[in-house]
Structure formats: C-alpha cells, structure tokens
Amino acid sequence: MTSPIDLNIDALALGKVAVLLGGTSAERPVSLMSGNGVLAALRSAGVDAHAFDPAERPLQALKDEGFARAFIALHGRGGEDGTLQGALEWLGLPYTGSGVTASGVAMDKTMTKRVWSAEGLPTPQYLALSRAELTRERVRTIPDELGLPVIVKPPHEGSSIGITKAAGYSDMQGAVELALGFDDELLFEQCIEGPELTCAVLGEGEGAVALPVIEIRAEAGNYDFANKYETDTTQYLFDTLPAALASEIQQLVLRAYRLLGCRGWGRADLMLRKSDMKPFLLEMNTSPGMTSHSLVPKAAQAVGIAYPHLCLWLLAQARLDRAASA
C-alpha cells in the first residue's frame, strides 16, 4: 500500500532530539507511555533521541544541552495547550505538532466548538458554565435545555478524564462535582446516540491528508480511560461505513483541522447519529496518544506507515510558528 506521506528521511540530519514526555497534567501516565514508545521508535530509526521530562528538568536545559528539535509527546495542560509551544518558540527550538494558537484553541473544547459552530460545522449543542454559575438550581435545568443523557466534561482535559454521561437528573450533581475537580468551567453537551468515530490527519493546510476513519466499539458503549488504556476488549474497526460517508467524514475533519490552524498531525473525535447517519465533531487532539492502544498509529498502519516511520516523519515536520513568516 502506498503511503500518503514521504518516508524518505535522513535520521542523522535531524540532530539531537528531545522527546518531551511525562509533564504535570492529569494525563502524565499516558504521556509516559506515549513518550517511551516514541523514544524507542526514533532510536530504532537511527535518531539521536533522549527522554526529557519537563516535570523534572527546566526547559532551558533543552537549549543548554544542544538539542536541535523536540518531539512533543505530552498530553493535556502544560504540554498540549500552547504554553509549552510558546516556551519552545522563545527558546527557538523547533517542535512537532501545532503552534501556539492552534494548540491553545484546540485544547479548550468549548472554544473549539465556538469556532466550528461559527463556521457552520456540525457539533453537538452545548452549554458552557463557570463554577460560580453552577448552583444546584442551575444544574437541575441543564437537561431541560439539552435533553438526556447529558455529557458533562471538564473542557481542558483529555483521555476522558472527568467525563460523565449523566443519564438522569439525579446523576447531574455528581457529574458536576467530578468535573469541577479538574476545571473551573464545565462543558455540557447534547448526547449524540450512535457509533463513536475518530479520524487522524497528517500535514498542514491544503497539503494535509486524512487517514482512514476508525469506528470505536467499547464495552457497554463506554470509551472511558480504562477502555482506552487498560483493557484489550475495545474494538477499533475500519471499513464499517459506506465509502461515500467515510469520505464525507474525512473531508469534514480536514476542514475542522484547517479552521483551527493545526499542523503536523491531529486527531478528531466524532459521533455518528444513528437516526440519520449525520457526523458531529466533538474535539480535536493536537498531541494524540502514541501508546500501544492509540488510534493514530493504528490508522497510519492501515495505509502502510509503520510506527517508527510515523514517528520519524512527524519529527521531520518539526518547526516554529515564526518560520511561517520568516
């Protein structure tokens, strides 16, 4: 199968590489799994790669120790939200993935939905409420506005951390309290019933390409943290959709990716409404997981891109925001 990207890359020309992993977010355990996988893959491809945990070392050490570029395998706050990207811009160290603005917007699920909604892209109806607004009386009214079930999310977290599918009014307060443990503003989302999908993107702008759509079938329909990372029962299926619908979803994801200004790579999560097979965008991940259970490597493998080659290609795309206007 022909790869959609050029895999003819000189590993030695990439210089000394820092694989940024771990960090301080709630997704630290996942980041360590992702980062160690990337580190081993890059080394197997001949790259001079080294692990670097920003929770344990100052970022200035990247410059002091002569690193030429960074592979960001951090997830969540402090790694995926634009703050790290801004620090690397200041250091002048090229990095993988999206730049400062795109990372910041995509990490905020509420802001992402506002951008997509403003451009007419389909995303579930939602409410965004601050901690101060979330009185018991206000929480009781949310299902009246969005219907049941309601998805309750901390909008600045990933890996399904802090998310609840509230099936009834009695579930709402507990869901809110859980999510408030991770965020001061919560996102309440209309629940779209149907298959859960994901679609990865590689590249930038008009040159970006969408990888095959994956349908996710988790135990009891609950694709939570455990079913993402701790079990082997979740199914990841290709070619379950009609070709025309799969192509429509890929084009939708490409538009969503470009609107946010993403580059390098990303992965959109979607729901497909079973009543009319209409896709709805949920979020865009700009530093997707690279664990043994992760979705981007699975999609890349489906088009002939082995895991080490994927890591090497992503590393070769590393750059700075300011290079675009240089």
Side-chain angles (χ1 to χ4, degrees), residues 116 119-121 250-260:
W116 286 339
E119 295 294 330
L121 272 63
Q250 288 176 310
Q251 292 307 308
L252 172 63
V253 168
L254 283 170
R255 188 177 173 205
Y257 180 87
R258 291 167 180 150
L259 275 174
L260 296 177

Side-chain angles (χ1 to χ4, degrees), residues 20 40 58 73 82 94 104 145 147 166 169 173 222 237 239 267 281 300-301 309:
L20 303 182
E145 298 178 55
Y169 287 85
Q173 194 60 45
N222 184 22
L237 306 173
D239 301 323
R267 196 197 76 237
L281 293 157
Q301 184 67 49
H309 295 152

